[in-house]
Amino acid sequence: MIDPQPSEALPGEPPGASPAAVPVPYVPAYGTASLADLPGSMLASLGLPGDNTLALEPAPRVCLFLVDGLGAELLAAHPGAAPFLSAHVRGTLTAGFPSSTPTSLATLGTGAPPGEHGMVGIQMAVPGEGRLFNCLRWTAPGLSIDPDVWQPAPTVYERMAAAGVEPVYVAPAAFDGTGLTRAVYRGMRYRAAESPGERVEAVRQALREATFVTVYYGDIDRVGHFSGWGGGEWLEQLAVVDRMAERIAGALPPGAVLYVTADHGMINAVDKVDVDRRPDLREGVLMLGGEPRARHVYTSPGAASAVLETWREALRGRAWVVTREEAVSAGWFGRSVRREWLGRVGDVVAVPYGECVIVASAGEPVESSMIGYHGSLTPAEQNVPLVEIRR
């Protein structure tokens, strides 16, 4: 498997900036070593139509353990807390942009990069309607958003079901029937399970009858957001994940394989730029979307150039600030972005690096109070592990 490499492009940086002082955007390795390449490879390993980009070996049954927030660099920093996972790392994949849960879930669910499935941020503009849609909570002012319309691409699970393979999804009951689940997991048979032990047992039972099982665990991400990654509570959750993986591996039927990966990594922020306390950063801005590490800035008519200049100057040395066209041409969302999705991308896209985040304390009080964040184009957020255990 080819490990991802950073891009050499530096869109939005000031002319003459010192290369040593300006980080390079770590553009996802779509088509070679990204989450978008994992679903097709797993399909191919099961003998179903799919591009086996990652060269996965055949297996009669596959279990995918998706750990929300378990970045490759985070795991590598604490091998003692996760000895089982650390001993079975096959390689590294990139999450995609933005490196966030709904985007990565859609990427894993469709086998396509964000520019093709259209889930290009947590908060996106509904093109032509002047309102923001939060696809994590699946909420928007006004009329509701139909998951089948917002994300119309067939899922890999629908493809499995059409081929006679019934995939099973093990996760908390609270996620069953949500808009996000419908958008990214169509075709799955949902199996609710709460505690780590209950999820392991649900996987054990599902593998007796199902060829493909996915199990989700999100508490390590939750702890990272509010306590920061690397602390005591976070390490406890990492140990929980390690034990879950070991128990699932022990429950695999003969010949089956367990893959463990994540949707993104994380950084701990120490530098917060609060847009709600910066009138200059609100000037000409119609809506502020995205998230603190990957902002979609939607501008008033005729204000895009002025907003771009203001944001670039205000965030110089802290963020890549580019136009929609620059972000698309740099391949941040994939090889291309479908025409109908372009309006979901901000007129200006602001992507902090280092330990900086762009918050909105009045509009997003909970998100603004966090410690751990993700979404950007840095290795700490982009790189996720691919762990493989065969029975």
Side-chain angles (χ1 to χ4, degrees):
M1 181 173 60
I2 302 173
D3 282 342
Q5 298 294 324
S7 165
E8 297 180 356
L10 288 170
E13 286 298 335
S18 168
V22 179
V24 176
Y26 195 76
V27 176
Y30 303 117
T32 57
S34 77
L35 285 181
D37 304 302
L38 181 56
S41 296
M42 290 190 296
L43 286 175
S45 75
L46 287 168
L48 302 175
D51 294 328
N52 196 359
T53 304
L54 303 181
L56 302 184
E57 296 176 8
R61 295 180 190 272
V62 171
C63 179
L64 175 64
F65 184 13
L66 178 60
V67 184
D68 198 324
L70 183 61
E73 295 195 359
L74 280 58
L75 175 61
H78 295 284
F84 182 76
L85 289 173
S86 300
H88 294 90
V89 174
R90 172 190 172 103
T92 301
L93 304 176
T94 54
F97 180 73
S99 46
S100 298
T101 299
T103 300
S104 291
L105 292 187
T107 297
L108 284 168
T110 61
E116 294 182 28
H117 60 62
M119 302 279 274
V120 294
I122 288 182
Q123 295 184 91
M124 298 167 280
V126 181
E129 297 187 16
R131 59 181 179 141
L132 280 177
F133 167 53
N134 187 311
C135 68
L136 185 62
R137 300 187 179 98
W138 213 264
T139 57
L143 297 174
S144 61
I145 304 293
D146 185 339
D148 294 359
V149 174
W150 188 264
Q151 197 300 97
T155 68
V156 293
Y157 317 118
E158 289 175 312
R159 290 161 56 188
M160 288 182 188
V165 173
E166 184 185 41
V168 175
Y169 179 55
V170 177
F175 300 145
D176 191 8
T178 66
L180 179 58
T181 296
R182 173 68 189 174
V184 304
Y185 285 119
R186 287 193 298 270
M188 279 279 201
R189 175 162 61 89
Y190 202 101
R191 185 161 189 161
E194 305 302 326
S195 70
E198 289 171 346
R199 272 177 253 193
V200 171
E201 182 57 31
V203 170
R204 186 195 308 272
Q205 294 178 13
L207 283 170
R208 294 173 183 168
E209 55 191 47
T211 302
F212 185 86
V213 178
T214 297
V215 56
Y216 169 85
Y217 188 77
D219 283 5
I220 194 168
D221 179 69
R222 176 187 56 79
V223 169
H225 278 306
F226 293 102
S227 300
W229 80 270
E233 190 177 359
W234 187 90
L235 289 171
E236 289 175 5
Q237 282 299 320
L238 179 58
V240 169
V241 168
D242 196 61
R243 290 194 295 270
M244 287 180 67
E246 187 170 15
R247 291 180 63 193
I248 292 171
L252 292 174
V257 60
L258 169 65
Y259 295 110
V260 185
T261 192
D263 51 350
H264 55 74
M266 184 171 284
I267 62 100
N268 291 336
V270 298
D271 176 19
K272 295 188 177 184
V273 178
D274 190 350
V275 175
D276 287 339
R277 296 183 179 180
R278 291 285 301 268
D280 58 324
L281 295 180
R282 281 294 187 182
E283 184 70 27
V285 175
L286 189 63
M287 298 184 296
L288 181 67
E291 57 200 280
R293 288 285 284 184
R295 284 294 183 187
H296 289 296
V297 185
Y298 305 96
T299 62
S300 303
S305 295
V307 170
L308 176 68
E309 183 178 350
T310 298
W311 278 63
R312 277 186 177 171
E313 183 59 34
L315 295 167
R316 188 182 300 273
R318 300 156 101 180
W320 301 294
V321 181
V322 302
T323 65
R324 173 191 294 124
E325 292 74 20
E326 287 172 327
V328 170
S329 65
W332 289 3
F333 302 102
R335 184 172 299 177
S336 63
V337 176
R338 287 174 56 177
R339 183 180 300 275
E340 55 266 47
W341 306 153
L342 286 173
R344 300 180 183 182
V345 180
D347 300 289
V348 174
V349 182
V351 184
Y353 47 78
E355 298 171 320
C356 177
V357 291
I358 304 169
V359 301
S361 58
E364 303 169 0
V366 174
E367 292 84 349
S368 299
S369 68
M370 292 176 176
I371 297 174
Y373 293 88
H374 50 81
S376 185
L377 290 161
T378 71
E381 293 152 281
Q382 281 293 326
N383 284 341
V384 296
L386 181 61
V387 172
E388 178 180 2
I389 303 102
R390 289 183 173 268
R391 183 70 182 268

